[in-house]
Amino acid sequence: MSELFSFQEQDLLYRLALAAAGLVIVFVLVRVSIRLLTRRIDDPDRVYRISRQIRRTGAVVMLGLLLVIFSPRPTELVAILTVVGAGLAIALREALLSVAGWLRIVLVHPYQQGDRIEINGVRGDVIDIRVMRTTLMEIGGWVDADQSTGRLVHVPNAWVFLYPVYNYTQGFRFIWNELSVTVTFRSDWQAARDIMESLARESTAIVERQVAEEIRQMSREFLVHYSILTPFVYVRIVENGIRLTLRYLCEARKRRGTEHALTVSILEAFRRHGGIELAYPAVQVALPDTPQFGPLPPTDHDASGTRPPDRPHGA
């Protein structure tokens, strides 16, 4: 019995000595690594981040070393590692899902660098793809239309499994845009419609040829069919006038520029043509004897010139 206790004490002392030696070695390696990697870096923020990552790595290595040294039997070590692995999988679910999302991005290519995407309400141009995150140059936000705000947005790669990904430019660089103008009821709305269509056709003549070619290429991979590529103006009656909505194709990154150019051209053409007024919220007072669609039929009072007698009650 005494020999058994003595063997156990010797084994424990051996394990303690081995653990102490391993911890000292890991500690020295961490210190040396920090010195070597941060020697030529002047930015305090980068030095702090690198040092923190090295210390965290050293802590993980120390923990693993202690588990290996103090595990009595290999079977128990496997059980301990299984429990620890399950706990880490639960605690690091988002991180592991981001790694899986990175594999999906690399293999399936829902987007790549240079694409303009929208995911979970975040829009921007993809400028960097890493294992844990995707970095976007944000568009929209407080800026009207699809123009850059100057902010960088870091999106976890796990989002590719959780939210739909809208790609503005993959395989097809063009989008449909709409420009609405409301004219008054007394305006020559037919002429306004023709002006908008003709100006849009002039500006999108080259775009239509490019769109047709890209649709032919994209139809080899996707079931895509566009029967109408030319601009078209839809007419709708609204409260304060007649709304003319121009629908046309443009490049995804030039939506605001094309809308600006078309708006200026349309306003100048309206001014030159005359007889076209832009509508705005207003209140109009019309007399009851001025019907909108022709004269009203004459009443008995109007035909005889006298007021008909009142009928007695019960007649």
Side-chain angles (χ1 to χ4, degrees):
M1 184 67 67
S2 61
E3 293 180 357
L4 178 61
F5 283 131
S6 131
F7 174 76
Q8 290 179 349
E9 291 176 357
Q10 292 178 359
D11 182 64
L12 179 60
L13 292 175
Y14 172 76
R15 290 174 184 267
L16 289 174
L18 190 61
L23 294 179
V24 170
I25 293 173
V26 173
F27 179 78
V28 172
L29 289 176
V30 168
R31 300 285 294 184
V32 172
S33 299
I34 292 175
R35 284 180 176 272
L36 293 177
L37 293 176
T38 60
R39 179 177 297 176
R40 298 183 180 181
I41 300 177
D42 298 329
D43 187 3
D45 293 336
R46 291 188 60 191
V47 171
Y48 170 74
R49 289 196 298 269
I50 292 174
S51 301
R52 185 176 60 177
Q53 292 176 359
I54 293 175
R55 291 191 182 97
R56 288 180 176 178
T57 304
V60 173
V61 172
M62 288 181 181
L63 180 60
L65 188 63
L66 292 176
L67 288 175
V68 172
I69 292 175
F70 289 99
S71 177
R73 286 185 292 272
T75 55
E76 295 185 4
L77 177 61
V78 172
I80 293 173
L81 292 179
T82 301
V83 173
V84 172
L88 289 176
I90 296 174
L92 302 177
R93 175 182 176 275
E94 295 295 332
L96 296 176
L97 197 59
S98 292
V99 175
W102 173 76
L103 292 175
R104 175 180 172 82
I105 294 169
V106 172
L107 298 176
V108 183
H109 300 293
Y111 58 81
Q112 55 188 354
Q113 288 186 359
D115 287 349
R116 174 164 290 186
I117 67 170
E118 178 180 350
I119 181 170
N120 193 24
V122 180
R123 294 181 295 163
D125 296 321
V126 179
I127 60 176
D128 187 33
I129 300 175
R130 300 190 181 185
V131 177
M132 299 297 295
R133 70 174 188 266
T134 296
T135 303
L136 307 179
M137 177 65 73
E138 184 192 36
I139 62 172
W142 66 84
V143 178
D144 193 14
D146 297 337
Q147 288 191 306
S148 174
T149 63
R151 297 191 302 186
L152 296 181
V153 184
H154 301 289
V155 175
N157 292 334
W159 280 11
V160 298
F161 295 112
L162 304 176
Y163 306 103
V165 179
Y166 302 93
N167 198 316
Y168 289 63
T169 54
Q170 186 182 53
F172 189 65
R173 298 178 294 111
F174 300 90
I175 58 173
W176 287 100
N177 190 38
E178 292 188 351
L179 174 61
S180 296
V181 175
T182 304
V183 298
T184 59
F185 289 108
R186 64 183 181 181
S187 297
D188 188 354
W189 64 267
Q190 294 95 335
R193 179 193 59 187
D194 296 338
I195 289 172
M196 294 175 67
E197 283 188 354
S198 62
L199 291 175
R201 287 196 180 100
E202 291 177 3
S203 63
T204 60
I206 300 177
V207 171
E208 289 178 19
R209 291 194 293 269
Q210 297 174 349
V211 168
E213 179 61 27
E214 291 198 8
I215 287 178
R216 281 194 295 270
Q217 295 178 0
M218 190 170 58
S219 62
R220 301 172 184 174
E221 185 177 356
F222 303 102
L223 183 60
V224 177
H225 176 70
Y226 279 142
S227 58
I228 299 177
L229 299 178
T230 56
F232 189 81
V233 175
Y234 293 91
V235 182
R236 182 181 182 185
I237 299 176
V238 294
E239 293 180 355
N240 58 333
I242 300 174
R243 178 171 298 166
L244 307 174
T245 302
L246 172 63
R247 178 177 169 86
Y248 65 96
L249 279 166
C250 66
E251 292 188 36
R253 290 185 171 86
K254 296 181 180 180
R255 187 171 73 92
R256 191 175 195 182
T258 56
E259 184 174 337
H260 165 75
L262 279 173
T263 301
V264 172
S265 301
I266 289 170
L267 291 176
E268 292 179 352
F270 284 0
R271 180 179 56 82
R272 290 193 302 266
H273 182 275
I276 301 175
E277 299 175 332
L278 297 181
Y280 51 86
V283 178
Q284 181 179 4
V285 178
L287 298 177
D289 57 348
T290 57
Q292 189 174 11
F293 298 102
L296 294 173
T299 61
D300 296 338
H301 173 66
D302 295 333
S304 61
T306 60
R307 181 179 177 183
D310 297 333
R311 295 182 179 181
H313 293 287

